[in-house]
Amino acid sequence: MLAIEKAVGLVATPSVLISVFIASVFGMLVGAIPGLTATMAIALLVPFTFFMDPLPAVGAMIACSAMAIFAGDIPSTLLRIPGTPASAAYTDEAYAMTRNGQAETALGANLMFSAIGGLFGTAVLIVAAPALAEVALQFSSFEYFWLAVLGLTCAIFIGAVSPLKGLISLFIGLLVSTIGLNNPAGVPRFTFGYTELMGGIEFIPAMVGLFAVSEVLRAMVHGAIDLPMTQRKIGNLFANWGKMVKTYWRQQLRGNTLGTAIGILPGAGADIAAWVAYALSKKMSRTPEKYGKGHVEGIIESTSANNAALGGAWVPALVFGIPGDSITAIVIGVLFIKGLNPGPTLFIYNPENIYAVFLIFILANLFMIPLGWAAMKGAGYILRVPRRVLMPLILGFSIVGSFAVNNATYGIVIMLVFGVLGFLMEENEIPVAPCILGIVLGPLVEENFVTSMIKSNGSFLAFFERPIAGVLGVFTILVVLSPLIGMVVRRMRGPATKTA
Amino acid sequence: MVKSDIIIGLILTVLGVAVILHAQSFPDIPGQEYGAAVFPVIAASALAACGLLLAFKALRRRATVPEGVDVAHSMAGITPAGWLKGLATIALVLFYCLFSDQLGYIIAMGLVLVGGMMLLGVRWWVAILISAIAIFAIHELFVVLMRVPLPRGTIIPF
C-alpha cells in the first residue's frame, strides 16, 4: 500500500502533471498531422526528456505516444491518410463513413474506444507486469538472450511485407550498436580513430535522423502535397456513444483482449494489432458484407485493439527490457540513459516508480477524451497546416534537438547520416523499425550471448538446457521458420483450391 | 525494384565482408575464446548472406520480367529537381554544422529554415516571417528553459 501512496505523491507534482499535459497536446498535434507518425512525435520529444527527471520524462513519452496513436485516426477518417501506421487498417472504412456524412460517428467511436482500449491495456499491464517480474527474477543470460532474439524476430516476421528486408534492417541496426567501446571486451570497435565514436553512436540523434529527418528528405525529394478535406464541419462527437457501447461491447472486448495480447508479444505493436483486429472482426461479424462501405463495427474493434496494444507493449518493456514496438524501443533507450534500467529489479527496488508509471497511463487515457474532442473540433485547422512550412520546421527542430544531447555538432552529423540512411532504406522498402530495435537491443543481445557462450564453453546446446530458455528458444525458431511453414502450407493447399 | 535490389544486395554483401575482415584486427580477451570480434562477425555474416539472397532473388525475378520493364520503384519517380532539392537539404544541414559556430544559431538556423521553405515553394516573405517566429520559439525553449548553449556566433555575438 505504501508504494502506491508514494506513487501518487510522485505523480501529483506540478512538473509531472505539466509535462504529461504538454506532451499530450504535442502528441495529439503531431499524430493528427498526416504523414507525421507517433514514432516521429516520440523522436522529436526525446531531446527534451533528456533534460527532465526520469518520471516526468517517462510520463511525457507515455502520454505523447497514447495521444499520437489515437490522433492518427483523425486524418485517417477525414482525409483517408492514416496519421500513424496504427490507423491504416481501418482508414478506408472510416473514410467511407466520412463520405456518407458520418464523420462524427466514426471519430466519436475512435475517441471513446481508444480511451477504453488504453485503460484496458493499462489494467492488464498493472496485473501482469509484477507477476511476470517474479518469474523474470530467475532468468539467466540464456533466457535474456532468447527473449531479446524473440523480440527481434517477431518484429521482422510478423506482418512484415518482406522478412528478408526486415532482417537486413535489423542487422544494420545490430552492426551500428557494435560501434564504440561498449562491449564485453572493452576494446574500441569501428571507431577509425575518431574519439567521438568511442562512446558509440548516440541513440537520440540516430533516432531523430531515422524517423524525422528521413521524412523531411522524402518531402523535399517527392514534393510536399496538401490534400483537400471532404467533410469540414464535425457535429456532436458524443451522440452515439451509449448506443455503440451497447451494440458492440463484444467487438470492443475482443479488440481489447487481442490488442493487449499482441502488444505483450515482444516485437509486435499497435499497427499489427489493428490489422489483425480488423480482419478478425470481419470474419466474426454477422454482416461482413457491410465492411469497407462505411460500417462502424470494424473500426470499433481495431481502434480498441491499437490503443490496448500500447499498454500491452509496456509489459515486456518494463519487465524484461525487451521493447514491444519501435516506440517502447525508444523509451527503453531513454530509460537506460536515465539510469533506470528496465528489468525485474525495477519492481523490487523501486515499486513506487512502477506504480507511478501505471498512474500516468491511466491519467493519459483520461486526458485523451477532452484533448481528443478539442483536436477533432479543430481538425479543420490542424489538417490545413501546410507541409511545405512544417517540414523545414521539423528539420530545424531536429538539428537543435540533436545538438542539445551533448552540446556538440557531432550529434547533428549523426542525425544527418541516419536521416539519409533512413530515407534510402524506406525508398527501397527496407523498414526502419527493425533497425532501431537492433540499435537498442544490440548491446543486450551481445552481452548475454557472449556471457552464455563463455559460461557454456562454446556449446550452443546449453542455450536449450534450462526449461524456460528451451521453450523460448524453440518458440523463436518457430517464428523464424513461420514464413517457410506458410509457404509449404500454401503449396500443399494450392492444387486443392484450383480443383475446387 | 529488380535492379535496385541487385545493387543494394551487392553493396550489403561487400559491407558485410568488409566488416568481417576488419573485425579480425580486434584483440581477444586474454584466456577467453569469445571476445570483441564474435558478435560483429556474426551480424556481418548474416548481413552479407541477406544481401546475397536479396540480389539472387532479384536476379531470378529478372528472368521472368520482360526486358526494360521494372516494377514500380519509388526512387524511379524522383525528378532531377527532386534530387537537387534533397541534396540542397543535406547541404543546408552541413552548412549549419560548419558555420553555426561563426555565424551563431540565429543566422545559421534562419538560413536553414528560409532555405528549406523556399525549396518547397513557400513565398519568401512568408518563409522569413515564420522562420523568425520559429527561431524565437526554439531559442526560448532550448536556451532559456533548458539552458542549452546554442552557438552565439563570433561575428555578431548575440
Side-chain angles (χ1 to χ4, degrees), chain A residues 346-473:
Chain A
L346 204 60
F347 288 79
I348 295 164
Y349 300 120
N350 312 84
E352 65 274 12
N353 279 341
I354 294 288
Y355 287 121
V357 169
F358 294 159
L359 283 177
I360 291 172
F361 258 101
I362 298 173
L363 203 65
N365 282 297
L366 294 179
F367 273 174
M368 187 186 282
I369 293 177
L371 281 176
W373 176 83
M376 285 168 171
K377 284 289 177 189
Y381 300 98
I382 299 174
L383 297 182
R384 259 181 294 171
V385 175
R387 286 161 62 83
R388 331 189 269 288
V389 172
L390 207 61
M391 286 301 168
L393 291 181
I394 289 173
L395 183 67
F397 216 72
S398 306
I399 290 176
V400 177
S402 301
F403 174 85
V405 173
N406 267 343
N407 297 331
T409 314
Y410 164 67
I412 308 176
V413 178
I414 297 279
M415 172 203 89
L416 184 63
V417 170
F418 278 85
V420 174
L421 179 72
F423 168 77
L424 289 176
M425 281 167 70
E426 293 214 313
E427 287 293 303
N428 289 295
E429 287 171 5
I430 300 176
V432 180
C435 181
I436 203 82
L437 283 171
I439 296 177
V440 172
L441 284 178
L444 190 77
V445 176
E446 171 166 23
E447 198 192 310
N448 287 306
F449 177 70
V450 172
T451 318
S452 303
M453 285 303 255
I454 291 175
K455 269 200 276 192
S456 66
N457 280 321
S459 153
F460 197 66
L461 275 178
F463 284 82
F464 298 93
E465 272 167 11
R466 291 166 57 98
I468 299 178
V471 172
L472 286 171

Side-chain angles (χ1 to χ4, degrees), chain A residues 152 169-178 329 432-445, chain B residues 39:
Chain A
L152 294 173
S169 172
L170 168 69
F171 290 123
I172 292 175
L174 286 178
L175 280 177
V176 168
S177 81
T178 63
V432 180
C435 181
I436 203 82
L437 283 171
I439 296 177
V440 172
L441 284 178
L444 190 77
V445 176
Chain B
F39 191 69

